[in-house]
Amino acid sequence: MSSTNTVKLADYLLTRLLQLGVQSIFGVPGDYNLRLLDFVVPAGLHWVGNCNELNAAYAADGYARINGLSALITTFGVGELSAANGIAGAYAERSPVIHIVGTPPRPLQQSRALMHHTFADGEYKRFAAMSKHITIAQTELQDAATAPERIDWILQQALIHSRPVYLEFPDDMPHVLVSSANLKTPIKVPDVPSPANEQEVINRILERIYSSKQPVIFVDGESKALGIVDQLDTLIKSTKWPTWTTVWGKGLVNESHPNAYGLYAAAFGDKPAQEYFESADLVLTFGPHYSDTNSYFDQTIPKPAAAITFRDSTIQIESDIYRDISPSKVLSALLDKLDSSRTITAQGPTKKIVTLDDIQPTDAVAQKNFFRLVNPLFREGDIILAETGTAAYGGRHFKLPPKSRLFTAVTWLSIGFMLPATLGTALAKRELNKPSGARNQTVLIIGDGSLQMTAQEISVMIKEKLDILIIIINNEGYTIERVIHGRKEAYNDVPFWRHTQALQYFGADDEAVKQNTYTARTVGEFQDVLKNERVKDGKGVRIVEVFMEREDVQEGPLLWVLNKQLAEEEAAKSA
């Protein structure tokens, strides 16, 4: 094979990532991945060196949620295990991260040498075995003949399943020459052939649509993985039917549509919305993800008799499950065949109007007013992240501008996730905006307790010159945990930090520190901060510290906890 038909293995992998739209790679250098890292920048990729592997995994997760795919490089053993929690969260919430692990050279593994970053017993496969539980697919590069196909396969698995995958890259293989022939063929999600019963499914759904007297469209977060978000927008606009989302689905529906009602929270939300939803005779449900936190303890799950549910490769109509069928194809066919003259003009419940009329400048900033005050800050295309805890509960009720995205606690709920995820989302958004020159803001709302988990990644945000507004809720500890248990216990306290000095410590220059740090205790002070042009439309990392009472919490979380406790008590009685 001539040299023009060959490429170094590291270049092959990195070229494939570039072809799939990955422009930046997250990670931490380690002695088993250094030779691979030598290729990253020359290949045309941007290397984002993170403060630790856990943060790198969180950042890669955030990047993938905006970009559609991301890559993370860690070293064998100590590095990959530090990243494991972040990879597990990406698996739980369907974020396609390519986890590339630099492993010891093949001769050392084959000789069972007692090397560092191992258990000194000659066993090199334990960590790969661990990864099987938190990634959808795994592979190891072993020789030049099979390496290109293994790389293509593992990347395709990430795209198909929208979940993380695990790739072992031995330290002696970056320079190995392999065939470049496959690089001419794009990696794609394979097309699913239409089953014989597809038309039957379409007709059955159309019958239900035409006969419905009180329909609902219900969008959940796995709709993104199904690749049907644009089709859903067409459906919502064409039917004009009342549309709600779950916590995770929020941000996938344009809330400026007159028939978009935002979050459906059953008994935890608006009573008219609950009454309408529960009496619906048809609930078109897309991409369901029925974890307790996403479904409010199963209260938002539609009744089976009313639901038609679109999942990865199945469509369920009442108790009938049609398998090996493409939700995207079926939805496209429905949109093509839909006769609007035969559908009901559904009148949804009266929308609840949110105002600031009851808020006075002298009021203390509190959970009941904070989120309403922040909401007008958001603009089209912005990314809003609300960390696990009181921030997540309040953030669920934001009214989102078009094309904006909201990320909040869904299922994994690993506190500290949102700060590095903010780094990843902001970087991905900047890259996607570059051709058009558009500029969006990324806003993180995080409690002081969660901040302490991953705060060092602020330094990477500064280094990357990202436009990020961080609003810290300082309530002296883990307020959401106080609600759950241990209201007065010291284990729910956190050490005292001087947040206004964070930018200086993490590397910002003195002028940036002076112009980009703000505090507020009263509504009037907070309103003044939010009017500041540098807060509204500034560049770089800006920090706003807002002080709240340590036990201040919205009604929603309180009811959530009470229901959880009641459920546990009932379960204990049954046992």
Side-chain angles (χ1 to χ4, degrees):
M1 185 178 293
S2 70
S3 61
T4 58
N5 296 323
T6 62
V7 64
K8 292 179 180 178
L9 183 57
D11 283 326
Y12 185 95
L13 170 61
L14 298 173
T15 299
R16 278 307 204 190
L17 291 175
L18 281 166
Q19 289 176 346
L20 292 171
V22 175
Q23 299 182 50
S24 295
I25 295 182
F26 302 88
V28 177
D31 49 0
Y32 295 132
N33 67 25
L34 296 176
R35 290 173 180 80
L36 175 59
L37 296 187
D38 285 339
F39 287 80
V40 171
V41 173
L45 285 149
H46 173 55
W47 170 249
V48 182
N50 297 94
C51 297
N52 59 55
E53 290 88 355
L54 174 61
N55 288 356
Y58 286 155
D61 184 335
Y63 185 97
R65 296 188 192 211
I66 295 297
N67 186 63
L69 190 70
S70 71
L72 162 72
I73 298 178
T74 67
T75 196
F76 179 76
V78 293
E80 62 182 297
L81 294 187
S82 292
N85 181 43
I87 296 298
Y91 186 94
E93 299 186 6
R94 301 201 62 168
S95 192
V97 178
I98 313 301
H99 187 187
I100 303 160
V101 178
T103 61
R106 289 168 294 174
L108 293 178
Q109 294 190 51
Q110 291 162 6
S111 68
R112 297 178 63 83
L114 306 186
M115 298 298 296
H116 61 282
H117 298 341
T118 74
F119 296 138
D121 59 359
E123 178 54 61
Y124 284 86
K125 298 304 174 188
R126 283 200 178 90
F127 308 128
M130 293 178 189
S131 76
K132 290 181 180 180
H133 300 282
I134 56 173
T135 56
I136 197 66
Q138 310 81 33
T139 195
E140 177 187 9
L141 303 184
Q142 297 174 327
D143 56 65
T146 62
E149 286 73 21
R150 285 177 180 265
I151 288 172
D152 290 357
W153 176 80
I154 202 73
L155 296 178
Q156 187 183 56
Q157 293 306 302
L159 296 175
I160 291 171
H161 300 284
S162 192
R163 282 197 161 104
V165 296
Y166 179 90
L167 172 62
E168 294 180 71
F169 201 123
D171 190 41
D172 63 319
M173 292 195 72
H175 291 81
V176 170
L177 292 176
V178 298
S179 169
S180 62
N182 288 1
L183 292 177
K184 299 174 184 177
T185 304
I187 298 174
K188 297 180 180 178
V189 174
D191 190 36
V192 178
S194 297
N197 61 359
E198 184 177 270
Q199 193 57 52
E200 173 194 338
V201 175
I202 293 168
N203 291 339
R204 191 172 173 188
I205 296 172
L206 284 171
E207 288 174 9
R208 290 288 302 276
I209 288 174
Y210 294 145
S211 63
S212 174
K213 303 300 182 186
Q214 189 165 316
V216 165
I217 297 172
F218 193 38
V219 178
D220 206 342
E222 297 203 14
S223 298
K224 184 74 163 57
L226 299 182
I228 59 173
V229 174
D230 290 341
Q231 292 166 292
L232 288 176
D233 188 63
T234 302
L235 179 69
I236 292 163
K237 288 187 292 187
S238 62
T239 63
K240 299 181 174 60
W241 285 355
T243 300
W244 281 272
T245 73
T246 62
V247 177
W248 195 13
K250 193 170 175 65
L252 299 182
V253 169
N254 184 347
E255 295 186 358
S256 66
H257 293 325
N259 54 318
Y261 283 80
L263 174 71
Y264 177 60
F268 298 97
D270 189 38
K271 188 67 174 176
Q274 183 188 15
E275 291 173 351
Y276 184 97
F277 192 100
E278 292 186 352
S279 58
D281 61 352
L282 174 63
V283 183
L284 295 175
T285 306
F286 299 95
H289 180 89
Y290 293 144
S291 67
D292 59 347
T293 44
N294 193 45
S295 66
Y296 288 91
F297 281 100
D298 300 338
Q299 290 195 39
T300 63
I301 299 176
K303 296 173 183 176
I308 295 178
T309 306
F310 293 70
R311 292 187 173 89
D312 278 290
S313 59
T314 68
I315 294 176
Q316 183 170 351
I317 305 174
E318 298 174 359
S319 60
D320 298 326
I321 299 176
Y322 298 90
R323 301 186 184 280
D324 305 313
I325 191 167
S326 166
S328 178
K329 280 187 177 180
V330 170
L331 187 52
S332 290
L334 289 171
L335 291 170
D336 288 340
K337 294 175 180 291
L338 189 63
D339 182 354
S340 298
S341 68
R342 299 179 60 187
T343 61
I344 192 170
T345 302
Q347 185 64 46
T350 302
K351 289 188 178 183
K352 185 178 180 181
I353 300 175
V354 178
T355 71
L356 305 179
D357 295 345
D358 61 325
I359 304 174
Q360 301 301 318
T362 53
D363 292 344
V365 179
Q367 294 288 328
K368 65 182 180 181
N369 57 42
F370 170 82
F371 298 95
R372 285 183 286 161
L373 292 167
V374 170
N375 207 149
L377 187 71
F378 308 142
R379 299 169 304 180
E380 182 172 328
D382 283 354
I383 303 171
I384 302 102
L385 301 97
E387 177 62 89
T388 297
T390 56
Y393 284 101
R396 295 176 178 192
H397 301 286
F398 283 137
K399 173 76 181 296
L400 299 179
K403 300 179 182 178
S404 60
R405 294 292 303 276
L406 172 73
F407 297 116
T408 188
V410 179
T411 294
W412 193 239
L413 274 61
S414 181
I415 62 173
F417 162 74
M418 288 293 172
L419 194 146
T422 300
L423 162 65
T425 59
L427 183 58
K429 187 69 172 179
R430 185 172 70 184
E431 291 174 355
L432 292 174
N433 282 344
K434 191 173 182 180
S436 67
R439 182 170 166 265
N440 299 108
Q441 184 150 237
T442 302
V443 181
L444 169 65
I445 302 171
I446 187 169
D448 54 340
S450 297
L451 179 81
Q452 293 192 8
M453 294 282 182
T454 51
Q456 60 270 65
E457 223 59 29
I458 294 173
S459 63
V460 183
M461 295 175 180
I462 294 170
K463 176 176 71 79
E464 294 291 334
K465 296 180 172 59
L466 294 169
D467 299 333
I468 294 173
L469 175 63
I470 302 175
I471 303 178
I472 303 170
I473 298 175
N474 187 338
N475 48 18
E476 300 180 6
Y478 302 121
T479 293
I480 198 66
E481 307 291 7
R482 297 189 204 280
V483 174
I484 296 171
H485 186 80
R487 193 172 126 194
K488 303 292 185 183
E489 297 298 332
Y491 53 66
N492 282 326
D493 298 338
V494 296
F496 171 74
W497 281 17
R498 299 186 187 276
H499 298 114
T500 56
Q501 298 180 19
L503 294 180
Q504 186 173 35
Y505 179 79
F506 286 125
D509 60 53
D510 291 342
E511 188 63 23
V513 172
K514 182 179 178 181
Q515 294 183 344
N516 291 333
T517 305
Y518 309 86
T519 62
R521 294 181 181 272
T522 68
V523 166
E525 291 172 350
F526 192 37
Q527 288 176 321
D528 287 342
V529 169
L530 295 176
K531 291 175 186 174
N532 188 299
E533 286 301 320
R534 293 194 65 85
V535 172
K536 290 167 58 178
D537 195 30
K539 292 187 176 182
V541 180
R542 289 142 291 145
I543 288 180
V544 176
E545 182 176 20
V546 178
F547 294 87
M548 294 189 196
E549 292 295 327
R550 57 192 280 135
E551 294 181 20
D552 180 21
V553 67
Q554 292 200 75
E555 184 179 350
L558 287 172
L559 290 173
W560 188 89
V561 170
L562 288 173
N563 274 296
K564 180 175 183 291
Q565 291 171 343
L566 288 171
E568 290 173 349
E569 289 171 7
E570 289 299 319
K573 289 177 183 177
S574 300

